[in-house]
């Protein structure tokens, strides 16, 4: 409701109001309430020493196989992905860098897709992940979304 009212005002007025309103906490409250919200997910194209991609079998998905990931908490994205992989698999990973930022819907979100590599650990089954698989490009398991196959291929072909 507040966002609809605020967005009716001309942009120039909003800038002037923000600039000349002395109460920082109030200004930040209004700005927060007026903006659209979305979730941030962290995903990883994680490889082993042989260059094979780590895939997880998710117990709650219709197409169970996919890359590791999850929702960020109040943390740096790289830390969020490292935490998610460890919580779900017991594996420790090194994040190499951000490869993609993708806007998605249902729910509204931004997916941050990183490249990384396994550095140590052995798989430990979790409530979310029943098994893992190291897979070469093109040798995908049944039950893996086409979008993820394409995403992995694009990211790994970027070098």
């Amino acid at each position: 409701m507040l966002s609809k009212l605020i967005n009716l005002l001309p942009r120039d007025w909003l800038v002037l109001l923000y600039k000349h309103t002395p109460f920082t906490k109030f200004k930040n409250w209004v700005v927060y309430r007026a903006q659209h919200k979305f979730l941030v997910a962290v995903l990883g194209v994680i490889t082993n020493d042989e260059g094979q991609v780590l895939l997880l079998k998710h117990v709650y998905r219709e197409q169970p196989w996919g890359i590791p990931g999850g929702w960020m908490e109040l943390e740096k994205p790289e830390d969020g992905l490292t935490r998610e992989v460890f919580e779900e698999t017991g594996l420790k990973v090194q994040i190499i860098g951000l490869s993609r930022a993708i806007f998605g819907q249902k729910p509204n979100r931004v997916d941050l897709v990183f490249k990384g590599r396994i550095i140590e650990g052995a798989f430990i089954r979790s409530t979310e992940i029943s098994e893992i698989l190291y897979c070469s490009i093109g040798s995908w398991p049944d039950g893996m979304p086409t979008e993820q196959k394409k995403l992995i291929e694009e990211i790994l072909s970027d070098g």
Side-chain angles (χ1 to χ4, degrees), residues 72-153:
M72 276 184 53
E73 296 176 5
L74 298 176
E75 59 199 341
K76 291 177 13 183
E78 297 88 341
D79 294 343
L81 181 55
T82 301
R83 174 188 50 74
E84 282 288 340
V85 173
F86 185 75
E87 286 176 359
E88 293 178 349
T89 67
L91 300 171
K92 292 190 179 180
V93 297
Q94 176 187 28
I95 304 305
I96 296 168
L98 179 65
S99 293
R100 297 276 189 293
I102 304 167
F103 175 74
Q105 294 180 305
K106 296 182 184 175
N108 289 331
R109 67 186 187 284
V110 172
D111 296 334
L112 301 176
V113 187
F114 291 89
K115 282 174 73 173
R117 66 182 191 85
I118 301 290
I119 52 176
E120 68 178 288
F123 173 63
I124 301 169
R125 188 181 177 130
S126 71
T127 57
E128 294 180 58
I129 307 301
S130 61
E131 60 184 286
I132 66 171
L133 173 70
Y134 290 100
C135 189
S136 298
I137 291 180
S139 300
W140 309 119
D142 291 334
M144 184 173 171
T146 303
E147 313 84 58
Q148 284 205 4
K149 295 174 191 176
K150 286 173 54 178
L151 179 65
I152 293 167
E153 290 169 1

